[in-house]
Amino acid sequence: MQSHPNVQAVQDALDNAGGRDGSGAASRIRILPEAVHTAAAAAEALEIEVGQIANSLIFNADGDPLLVLTSGAHRVDTARVATELGLTALKRATPEFVREHTGQPIGGVAPLGHPKPVRTLVDTALAGYPEIWAAGGVPQAVFPTTYAELLRITDGSPAEVA
């Protein structure tokens, strides 16, 4: 699985960005024995709190992609985010829209490694954890990082999204 093109693209993007985990070591993608399509499943597989999972959610923001990296402990308040960004509509994207803009399937969307940069918001709730985990391009791939690193490697903006 490590050789899957999506996983390789994400690892390459992490390497190119100098991505780090909570200990300061280079962030490496880990392949889990089974796909983890939910934050709860990922947290259970990693034996961590669900809030430490950075869900990568792609939204259709007036026709443009918006990536919201949110803590697995809560849901995105789309009305709040739309208002704060001055959007007319913020809708959950279709699987086709997600794949078109990220090259990755729903359930495996990584914060980086997309064909071109995607505007990104990073949930401030993730700042409360010394290490967080994000998807690595396919549903069974994850990698460790930190809130500060997510902001840096995605060129994301901190936001209260719940």
Side-chain angles (χ1 to χ4, degrees):
M1 178 58 65
Q2 187 70 30
S3 62
H4 189 285
N6 288 358
V7 174
Q8 193 59 57
V10 174
Q11 187 64 63
D12 290 347
L14 281 168
D15 293 345
N16 291 336
R20 298 283 174 239
D21 66 16
S23 73
S27 195
R28 310 283 342 135
I29 291 180
R30 181 169 153 191
I31 304 301
L32 300 172
E34 295 182 29
V36 288
H37 291 280
T38 66
E44 184 178 336
L46 293 165
E47 298 180 350
I48 59 172
E49 293 179 44
V50 72
Q52 289 178 261
I53 300 297
N55 278 337
S56 300
L57 304 175
I58 293 284
F59 291 92
N60 183 329
D62 291 341
D64 293 319
L66 174 69
L67 174 59
V68 178
L69 300 172
T70 185
S71 168
H74 58 249
R75 296 177 92 59
V76 173
D77 180 339
T78 54
R80 176 184 188 167
V81 173
T83 299
E84 289 183 15
L85 296 179
L87 300 168
T88 16
L90 184 67
K91 300 177 183 170
R92 187 66 71 120
T94 64
E96 296 78 19
F97 186 91
V98 171
R99 196 175 285 273
E100 174 189 348
H101 292 286
T102 68
Q104 301 164 355
I106 288 176
V109 174
L112 70 174
H114 311 136
K116 62 183 181 180
V118 176
R119 182 178 184 187
T120 303
L121 299 180
V122 183
D123 186 354
T124 55
L126 292 167
Y129 299 98
E131 187 167 75
I132 52 183
W133 289 77
V138 295
Q140 59 269 44
V142 293
F143 69 91
T145 188
T146 66
Y147 176 73
E149 279 292 280
L150 269 185
L151 288 170
R152 186 182 70 77
I153 66 178
T154 64
D155 196 24
S157 301
E160 291 185 21
V161 300

